[in-house]
């Protein structure tokens, strides 16, 4: 495929440089082979995350200048509320400092000790915020999602048989609510279809179960619905989004992705009871209900970014830039999760480094090796991220052991994408010499952020 043409031109640049081979070798050891612990200045192309790393538009920067920093009733809050109503169709908004702030409020309100939360697939912070009030998150995604080679167009879909089994095994009163993540991050950025969302609502209505989305990457999910689902070929993205949300009782949302900003989050709902409870809790944990931990200027950037991030031309470029990286890698037979998703390319570390055992953390090893080779920063998304079983304390080895090359929005040119692909193809050719890792430090919560490793001799 041809590289996608950018629907913008560049007004401000930030210089980056490639550290020497010697420095890269030293830097990854100083970081305990954990790419989260690298210094940003040691990184050439930063594909750690698409979270809070977007380039804002001139329109968003202009909005920053009209930040109303009043403690209460900031006009930017009302602009954000209006944007959420227009783009997502939810009436009520509770702002938070970022996505996990919204998860904290929503899940603390909805989850009681001993309950479960079925969700297509876990995300790290979401899982933890279900566990803190005593709940457990259980996967309910279709089996195809666990197979990196399977080309199902909507690998994020919920499996109704699995849901039914949870209801039968645990009993209805043990289900706190049903959660659906859009463009499922840990499955490779894979979308959920409109048909699946519509049917899920019918299914849950029969049991009077609430549905809460993690709508963080819902605009990219809406793009895939338009691209792949019959009947939506010409539907404006905003209409798709509003229909998607109409099948839920509310959403938690990290603005740091599809809203093209560096910080922010919110929860939104049409459910009065959820709204009143979380609006009361926000003042305890985040800030007043008209800012929730964000500055007025940040709320304005989110309000404008939510609208910009739902523009078709932008989304088309965005998804195709990710696809372009995927195609360059596939052409050289580098094993990746297929089909390519919305925000990242996921390398299949089990196939990339077949000489390592699961206990030698293949994905962690690969992320370190990529950095050392080319100063491209990626992230482990496998057993280190998954953590330990809450009851047995044993490591969980999920079927997917991946390295995520996450593409920040509007930040890197197609030449950066080509550099990345070329480096990884080169590394793939000398993959047999890469030694595995052992974990030498493990923090209690979200260990992947701060764990340290050493190379096995
Ligand atoms: N939900 C999903 C699906 C996410 O991907 C994230 C963050 C969150 C919730 C939490 O939001 O970071 O604003 O508190 N994902 C980032 C990532 C960290 O790199 O995938 P947050």
């Amino acid at each position: 495929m041809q590289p996608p043409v950018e629907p913008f031109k560049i007004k401000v640049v930030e210089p980056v440089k490639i550290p020497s081979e010697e420095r890269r070798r030293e830097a990854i050891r100083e970081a305990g082979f954990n790419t989260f612990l690298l210094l940003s200045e040691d990184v050439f192309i930063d594909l750690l995350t698409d979270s809070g790393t977007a380039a804002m538009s001139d329109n968003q920067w202009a909005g920053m200048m009209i930040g109303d920093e009043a403690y209460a009733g900031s006009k930017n809050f009302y602009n954000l509320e209006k944007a959420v109503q227009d783009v997502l169709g939810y009436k009520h908004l509770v702002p938070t400092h970022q996505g996990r702030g919204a998860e904290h409020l929503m899940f603390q309100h909805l989850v009681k000790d001993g309950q479960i939360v079925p969700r297509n697939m876990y995300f790290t912070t979401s899982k933890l915020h279900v566990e803190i009030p005593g709940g457990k998150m259980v996967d309910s995604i279709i089996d195809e999602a666990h197979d990196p080679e399977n080309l199902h167009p909507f690998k994020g879909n919920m499996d109704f048989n699995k849901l039914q089994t949870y209801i039968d095994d645990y009993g209805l009163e043990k289900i706190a609510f049903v959660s659906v993540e859009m463009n499922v991050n840990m499955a490779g950025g894979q979308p959920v279809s409109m048909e699946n969302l519509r049917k899920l609502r019918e299914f849950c209505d029969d049991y009077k179960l609430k549905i809460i989305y993690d709508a963080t990457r819902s605009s990219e999910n809406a793009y895939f619905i338009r691209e792949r689902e019959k009947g939506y070929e010409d539907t404006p993205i905003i209409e798709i989004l509003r229909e998607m949300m109409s099948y839920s009782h509310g959403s938690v949302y990290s603005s740091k992705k599809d809203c093209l900003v560096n910080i922010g989050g919110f929860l939104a709902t049409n459910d009065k009871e959820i709204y009143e409870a979380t609006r009361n809790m926000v003042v305890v944990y985040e800030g007043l209900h008209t800012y929730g931990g964000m500055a007025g200027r940040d709320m304005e950037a989110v309000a404008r970014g939510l609208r910009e991030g739902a523009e078709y031309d932008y989304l088309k470029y965005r998804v195709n830039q990710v696809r372009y990286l995927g195609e360059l890698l596939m052409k050289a037979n580098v094993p990746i999760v297929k089909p390519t998703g919305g925000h990242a390319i996921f390398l299949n570390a089990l196939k990339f480094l077949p000489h390592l055992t699961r206990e030698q953390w293949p994905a962690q090893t690969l992320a370190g090796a990529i950095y050392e080779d080319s100063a491209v920063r990626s992230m482990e998304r496998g057993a280190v991220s998954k953590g330990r079983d809450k009851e047995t304390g044993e490591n969980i080895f999920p079927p997917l052991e991946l390295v995520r090359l996450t593409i920040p929005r509007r930040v890197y040119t197609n030449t950066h994408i080509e550099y990345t692909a070329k480096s990884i193809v080169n590394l793939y050719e000398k993959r047999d010499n890469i030694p595995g890792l052992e974990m030498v430090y493990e923090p209690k919560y979200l260990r992947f952020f701060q764990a340290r490793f050493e190379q096995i001799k």
Side-chain angles (χ1 to χ4, degrees):
M1 83 185 258
Q2 290 298 311
V5 176
E6 294 85 352
F8 53 80
K9 55 185 178 175
I10 296 167
K11 198 175 308 203
V12 178
V13 297
E14 177 185 339
V16 285
K17 56 178 191 289
I18 309 181
S20 68
E21 197 179 330
E22 193 191 346
R23 177 58 201 152
R24 300 198 300 269
R25 199 186 138 73
E26 190 178 73
I28 194 66
R29 281 161 183 78
E30 284 169 11
F33 290 90
N34 185 342
T35 53
F36 279 102
L37 301 178
L38 286 166
L39 304 180
S40 166
E41 63 184 352
D42 283 326
V43 174
F44 174 47
I45 295 179
D46 203 347
L47 308 185
L48 185 72
T49 177
D50 63 329
S51 182
T53 53
M56 294 206 296
S57 66
D58 50 1
N59 176 50
Q60 285 174 294
W61 279 108
M64 297 284 281
M65 293 304 291
I66 56 155
D68 171 1
E69 306 306 342
Y71 187 86
S74 160
K75 71 178 177 206
N76 311 114
F77 169 78
Y78 296 99
N79 291 346
L80 177 56
E81 185 183 60
K82 182 79 174 45
V84 168
Q85 289 166 349
D86 290 349
V87 177
L88 303 176
Y90 291 118
K91 196 159 146 210
H92 304 299
L93 164 73
V94 177
T96 58
H97 74 288
Q98 59 182 79
R100 69 199 72 179
E103 289 170 346
H104 175 206
L105 304 183
M106 184 73 97
F107 300 171
Q108 191 175 317
H109 170 57
L110 291 177
V111 181
K112 309 270 168 300
D113 193 20
Q115 285 190 314
I116 64 162
V117 176
R119 163 155 163 153
N120 38 5
M121 195 179 262
Y122 84 102
F123 180 71
T124 53
T125 58
S126 324
K127 176 170 170 277
L128 182 60
H129 278 297
V130 164
E131 287 170 1
I132 288 172
K136 186 174 164 189
M137 190 169 263
V138 290
D139 281 14
S140 326
I141 202 162
I142 56 171
D143 285 339
E144 286 86 339
H146 295 294
D147 173 6
E149 300 294 324
N150 193 298
L151 291 174
H152 193 293
F154 291 103
K155 276 170 110 172
N157 280 354
M158 294 285 277
D159 182 328
F160 298 113
N161 291 328
K162 288 183 187 165
L163 261 183
Q164 188 64 55
T165 307
Y166 291 128
I167 294 172
D168 297 343
D169 290 356
Y170 286 84
L172 200 52
E173 67 293 344
K174 287 275 185 196
I175 316 265
F177 62 93
V178 174
S179 168
V180 190
E181 184 188 328
M182 301 298 136
N183 250 25
V184 186
N185 192 350
M186 302 299 274
Q190 304 293 332
V192 186
S193 73
M194 192 72 91
E195 188 193 12
N196 193 255
L197 294 175
R198 196 180 303 125
K199 287 196 172 147
L200 180 69
R201 180 58 189 252
E202 286 165 16
F203 180 97
C204 288
D205 276 353
D206 286 345
Y207 290 107
K208 297 199 164 45
L209 281 171
K210 284 194 171 150
I211 302 172
I212 303 296
Y213 292 166
D214 182 329
T216 294
R217 294 183 182 84
S218 49
S219 301
E220 290 167 2
N221 196 116
Y223 177 81
F224 282 120
I225 289 176
R226 175 155 156 165
E227 188 183 76
R228 297 178 185 171
E229 196 161 347
K230 214 163 156 265
Y232 292 93
E233 300 83 355
D234 302 311
T235 313
I237 296 290
I238 288 184
E239 260 179 54
I240 298 177
L241 277 168
R242 292 175 63 110
E243 185 183 342
M244 287 160 66
M245 302 306 146
S246 74
Y247 301 126
S248 74
H249 296 87
S251 281
V252 293
Y253 198 112
S254 167
S255 311
K256 299 173 71 174
K257 286 80 170 173
D258 281 1
C259 293
L260 301 160
V261 292
N262 306 120
I263 195 71
F266 56 83
L267 68 84
T269 180
N270 289 327
D271 182 306
K272 214 133 192 242
E273 191 242 339
I274 292 177
Y275 173 57
E276 280 182 6
T278 51
R279 180 172 182 265
N280 190 218
M281 280 158 68
V282 78
V283 299
V284 180
Y285 296 106
E286 302 277 320
L288 195 73
H289 55 272
T290 55
Y291 77 86
M294 276 185 284
R297 54 180 174 267
D298 292 324
M299 289 191 283
E300 189 60 35
V302 176
R304 294 178 184 213
L306 180 60
R307 293 181 195 277
E308 272 179 30
E311 283 170 16
Y312 175 74
D313 287 346
Y314 154 72
L315 282 168
K316 183 174 172 199
Y317 143 78
R318 158 70 178 160
V319 169
N320 278 305
Q321 191 182 43
V322 174
R323 190 171 286 155
Y324 181 50
L325 175 58
E327 299 226 338
L328 293 174
L329 293 172
M330 280 190 282
K331 218 162 67 185
N333 296 319
V334 175
I336 68 169
V337 175
K338 294 169 199 155
T340 57
H343 66 305
I345 294 302
F346 288 74
L347 303 172
N348 181 353
L350 298 180
K351 278 210 168 160
F352 203 115
L353 300 176
H355 60 286
L356 301 186
T357 65
R358 294 298 299 263
E359 288 78 10
Q360 295 174 339
W361 314 108
Q364 190 77 30
T365 301
L366 182 54
I370 290 170
Y371 171 76
E372 193 171 337
D373 187 66
S374 58
V376 171
R377 170 152 69 172
S378 59
M379 179 198 291
E380 188 269 0
R381 290 277 87 149
V384 181
S385 294
K386 181 84 182 188
R388 292 177 181 272
D389 186 286
K390 217 180 121 200
E391 275 126 42
T392 66
E394 293 296 316
N395 281 312
I396 306 170
F397 294 106
L400 298 178
E401 173 78 5
L402 309 174
V403 168
R404 189 179 73 172
L405 301 158
T406 340
I407 314 299
R409 295 169 181 79
R410 303 193 294 211
V411 169
Y412 290 115
T413 64
N414 294 320
T415 318
H416 289 120
I417 297 292
E418 287 155 13
Y419 169 90
T420 301
K422 219 166 156 181
S423 314
I424 291 171
V425 170
N426 281 341
L427 187 68
Y428 188 59
E429 280 154 15
K430 46 185 189 192
R431 62 191 182 276
D432 298 344
N433 302 326
I434 301 173
L437 298 174
E438 73 178 303
M439 199 188 291
V440 293
Y441 167 69
E442 178 178 356
K444 185 164 170 217
Y445 297 113
L446 302 176
R447 64 181 182 182
F448 57 93
F449 283 131
Q450 292 154 344
R452 299 185 70 85
F453 300 81
E454 278 172 14
Q455 252 175 4
I456 297 169
K457 296 283 172 325

